[in-house]
């Protein structure tokens, strides 16, 4: 819980093996580097490191698939640009609406699929206080709870967030509710229901599939059928091909999802 964002660069021993060497990168004299693990050991340590951060609030994994080191470095820069609200040079993630399966069914598929390296689970309750302000309560599998105040863009991307304790979270909810009740009383012809907050319960399943980081959201938009949206860490045109066979895309979330602002998107 100490860090707001974690960016993990996958070892060259996984997907860029020809660049994995024990020779010091800066030295042409054969000087040994601080790296001493074999490729197998490096892959094993890399996977254990990813698993150690499993369930982090914002965990980004930058793989070697389909990119050289300059592109890998640029992907890291783009992640940071999104975090600070700067313009992204090249998008390296996509959001897809998938044919519906239940969260329990996905868990069974994940346990049975040998291409899945690991998976983590969490639950998020989002409350939209206005067009740009959102409160979030996140519950992890170990029952750890975190609370956040967030400024969000039109597509649901977080522009700014800060963590708060449970007391301040409840205080903001109560203060906002009181403000809405006052507005209802002062505005003729407006019912209290029209001023009620939009809320969403979002079950999140995150997993690594064939070196691709996939974040799945299970939720039911207000007045609509249950949905599944996945965030895939790759160039958008490749996203559908990166999914497991048991997960099929219907189209982009931007086109098909009515409540992007309520989702706990990365």
């Amino acid at each position: 819980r100490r860090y707001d964002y974690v960016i993990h660069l996958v070892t060259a021993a996984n997907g860029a093996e020809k660049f994995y060497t024990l020779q010091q990168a800066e030295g042409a004299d054969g000087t040994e580097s601080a790296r001493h693990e074999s490729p197998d050991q490096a892959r094993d340590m890399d996977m254990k490191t990813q698993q150690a951060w499993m369930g982090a609030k914002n965990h980004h994994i930058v793989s070697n698939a389909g990119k050289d080191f300059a592109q890998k470095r640029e992907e890291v820069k783009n992640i940071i640009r999104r975090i600070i609200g700067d313009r992204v040079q090249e998008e390296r993630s996509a959001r897809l609406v998938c044919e519906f399966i239940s969260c329990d069914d996905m868990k069974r598929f994940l346990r049975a699929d040998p291409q899945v390296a690991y998976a983590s689970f969490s639950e998020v309750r989002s409350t939209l206080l206005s067009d740009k302000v959102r409160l979030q309560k996140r519950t992890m599998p170990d029952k750890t709870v975190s609370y956040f105040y967030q400024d969000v863009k039109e597509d649901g991307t977080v522009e700014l967030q800060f963590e708060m304790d449970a007391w301040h979270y409840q205080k903001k909810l109560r203060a906002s509710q009181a403000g809405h009740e006052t507005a209802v009383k002062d505005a003729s012809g407006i019912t209290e229901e029209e001023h009620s907050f939009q809320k969403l319960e979002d079950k999140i399943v995150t997993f690594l599939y064939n070196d691709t980081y996939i974040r799945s959201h299970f939720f039911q938009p207000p007045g609509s059928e249950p949905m599944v949206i996945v965030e895939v860490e790759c160039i958008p045109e490749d996203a559908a091909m990166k999914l497991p066979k048991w997960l099929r895309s219907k189209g982009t979330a931007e086109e098909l999802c009515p409540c992007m602002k309520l989702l706990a998107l990365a």
Side-chain angles (χ1 to χ4, degrees):
R1 297 179 59 188
R2 183 183 303 172
Y3 302 102
D4 290 320
Y5 297 89
V6 176
I7 303 175
H8 178 99
L9 278 69
V10 173
T11 174
N14 184 0
E17 288 82 357
K18 67 179 181 179
F19 298 107
Y20 187 84
T21 175
L22 300 186
Q23 183 174 321
Q24 185 70 27
E26 296 83 2
D29 56 357
T31 305
E32 287 191 359
S33 71
R35 178 190 286 163
H36 57 81
E37 301 87 2
S38 68
D40 285 341
Q41 290 173 325
R43 285 188 286 268
D44 181 61
M45 290 177 64
D46 188 89
M47 186 57 62
K48 288 178 179 177
T49 303
Q50 291 186 41
Q51 291 174 326
W53 288 104
M54 186 170 58
K57 289 176 289 188
N58 290 284
H59 187 193
H60 300 271
I61 297 177
V62 182
S63 71
N64 298 298
K67 61 179 83 77
D68 57 26
F69 185 74
Q71 292 170 314
K72 188 176 182 181
R73 181 176 55 200
E74 190 63 26
E75 184 171 342
V76 173
K77 290 181 180 179
N78 281 333
I79 291 171
I80 296 172
R81 288 183 182 111
R82 282 194 293 269
I83 290 171
I84 65 175
D86 202 357
R87 186 171 62 89
V88 173
Q89 302 297 323
E90 179 187 12
E91 193 59 60
R92 295 287 304 188
S93 65
R95 298 164 180 170
L96 304 175
V97 174
C98 291
E99 293 180 7
F100 183 77
I101 62 172
S102 71
C103 186
D104 289 337
D105 283 341
M106 176 172 277
K107 290 178 181 179
R108 284 193 287 270
F109 285 131
L110 291 172
R111 286 194 291 266
D113 195 326
Q115 303 302 319
V116 176
Y118 65 81
S120 67
F121 312 94
S122 61
E123 294 185 8
V124 176
R125 175 182 295 174
S126 296
T127 304
L128 199 62
L129 302 185
S130 72
D131 286 343
K132 296 183 178 180
V133 177
R134 183 173 72 188
L135 294 182
Q136 273 192 357
K137 176 183 177 181
R138 302 181 188 177
T139 305
M140 306 306 292
D142 62 358
K143 305 304 180 184
T144 300
V145 180
S146 302
Y147 303 90
F148 298 90
Y149 174 96
Q150 300 171 329
D151 291 336
V152 293
K153 298 180 182 178
E154 193 64 35
D155 65 355
T157 304
V158 176
E159 277 191 301
L160 175 70
Q161 78 170 6
F162 63 83
E163 191 168 0
M164 61 179 72
D165 57 28
W167 185 85
H168 284 94
Y169 172 82
Q170 293 296 336
K171 184 178 180 181
K172 278 195 172 293
L173 275 179
R174 287 193 297 267
S176 298
Q177 184 65 54
H180 275 265
E181 289 172 353
T182 300
V184 169
K185 293 176 183 177
D186 292 343
S188 60
I190 300 178
T191 65
E192 187 168 347
E193 286 72 26
E194 288 174 317
H195 277 275
S196 61
F197 298 127
Q198 294 185 58
K199 298 181 181 180
L200 191 73
E201 301 287 341
D202 182 8
K203 292 184 178 180
I204 301 174
V205 179
T206 303
F207 60 97
L208 189 69
Y209 179 79
N210 280 340
D211 204 28
T212 299
Y213 190 63
I214 300 174
R215 200 164 184 249
S216 312
H217 301 264
F218 296 82
F219 61 98
Q220 184 166 0
S224 185
E225 296 296 317
M227 295 185 72
V228 179
I229 282 183
V230 296
E231 297 177 88
V232 187
E233 296 262 348
C234 67
I235 56 176
E237 52 265 34
D238 290 347
M241 296 183 292
K242 296 288 187 178
L243 299 178
K245 292 181 179 179
W246 41 266
L247 199 56
R248 297 183 180 90
S249 170
K250 296 170 60 177
T252 66
E254 288 76 11
E255 296 173 333
L256 300 175
C257 180
C259 57
M260 297 289 281
K261 284 186 178 179
L262 284 167
L263 286 175
L265 300 169

